[in-house]
Amino acid sequence: MCGRYATTRSNADLSTFFEAVDVAEPLRVSWNVAPTDPVPLIRMSTRAHASEQESGAEKGRVLDTARWGLVPHWAADLRGGARMINARAETVATLRSFAPSFAKRRCLVPADGWFEWVRDGKQKQPFYMTPRDGKPLAFAGLWSAWGPESVLTCSVVTTAALGGLARVHDRMPLILPAERWADWLAGGGDPEELLRPLSESDLEAIEVRPVGPEVGNVRNNGPELLERRPEVTLF
């Protein structure tokens, strides 16, 4: 699963990187995102032209903000979102909670990297997975609007871990390279192709970094959480 991650880019950085119009609130930098936190996402939206030279509306990418933990429109309240932060690739197209969003409300969830824990005896050692080149990741995501105020909520799609990442956890976020963003955001399409994981060679570009136990406390939130612990090795 993906239960904690980091997202520290500004509105300007993300809107430029993903070629999206910024309609989000000022983003909150977080090195320790937890369920129900507000997070950035990239989705498709219809925008009306305001200038005299242009008229009508067009659909394009927007940078928006959502509550992490998807809440279906039929839910009684928002509380169930904390259990809906992840959607499994194996069932996302068929489960009642996720299937409508998978069909037509897909998004990209920008991240710097994500955390997982490995049990070592009585201790749990956290690891941080992040691109070696320092560029943002794009997690495959879903979004939904809940209630009369259309509160945006979202989930991260997860898949079976591959390569060295399987030594940390048996699940990982479904990561989408730039050439797959348009198809993912478009809606429709072949589920098998849309949910195809990265190749193992592509995953070699992701560093697995041991970090300190402080990340386990959601009240801790700073760049020091991402610092490598050189005395720890992965098995």
Side-chain angles (χ1 to χ4, degrees), residues 82-96:
R83 301 188 301 274
M84 305 274 284
I85 59 171
N86 294 156
R88 294 175 67 91
E90 296 86 347
T91 56
V92 67
T94 56
L95 282 182
R96 177 175 177 242

Side-chain angles (χ1 to χ4, degrees), residues 54-205:
E54 298 178 288
S55 61
E58 66 175 9
K59 201 167 188 179
R61 295 179 192 174
V62 297
L63 169 66
D64 213 335
T65 310
R67 187 179 189 265
W68 187 23
L70 188 141
V71 180
H73 69 88
W74 43 259
D77 53 50
L78 289 166
R79 288 179 295 180
R83 301 188 301 274
M84 305 274 284
I85 59 171
N86 294 156
R88 294 175 67 91
E90 296 86 347
T91 56
V92 67
T94 56
L95 282 182
R96 177 175 177 242
S97 299
F98 296 121
S101 290
F102 177 74
K104 56 186 178 181
R105 291 188 294 274
R106 299 193 293 257
C107 63
L108 305 174
V109 180
D112 298 347
W114 76 99
F115 298 96
E116 293 291 0
W117 281 257
V118 174
R119 183 171 291 280
D120 181 12
K122 295 183 179 180
Q123 304 292 325
K124 282 188 175 182
Q125 171 59 50
F127 288 85
Y128 179 60
M129 278 61 67
T130 188
R132 299 183 193 277
D133 63 9
K135 293 181 180 178
L137 292 167
F139 295 159
L142 313 172
W143 67 273
S144 185
W146 181 88
E149 296 181 356
S150 295
V151 177
L152 289 187
T153 65
C154 67
S155 288
V156 171
V157 178
T158 67
T159 188
L162 298 172
L165 298 183
R167 301 170 69 185
V168 178
H169 199 278
D170 62 352
R171 305 293 296 177
M172 60 173 285
L174 177 61
I175 299 167
L176 299 177
E179 62 269 21
R180 293 174 58 187
W181 294 350
D183 287 343
W184 180 260
L185 292 172
D190 176 19
E192 184 175 351
E193 176 61 22
L194 289 166
L195 297 166
R196 174 172 51 88
L198 287 179
S199 68
E200 291 195 28
S201 60
D202 288 335
L203 290 173
E204 291 176 0

Side-chain angles (χ1 to χ4, degrees), residues 186-235:
D190 176 19
E192 184 175 351
E193 176 61 22
L194 289 166
L195 297 166
R196 174 172 51 88
L198 287 179
S199 68
E200 291 195 28
S201 60
D202 288 335
L203 290 173
E204 291 176 0
I206 296 179
E207 174 190 359
V208 180
R209 181 189 305 170
V211 294
E214 294 79 12
V215 70
N217 187 333
V218 296
R219 290 187 292 272
N220 296 326
N221 200 324
E224 67 279 0
L225 297 179
L226 310 187
E227 293 177 0
R228 171 180 287 275
R229 293 187 66 185
E231 74 278 12
V232 176
T233 58
L234 181 57
F235 309 125

Side-chain angles (χ1 to χ4, degrees), residues 43-63:
R43 65 187 183 97
M44 300 298 287
S45 178
T46 301
R47 305 186 306 275
H49 293 299
S51 67
E52 295 181 0
Q53 293 77 21
E54 298 178 288
S55 61
E58 66 175 9
K59 201 167 188 179
R61 295 179 192 174
V62 297
L63 169 66

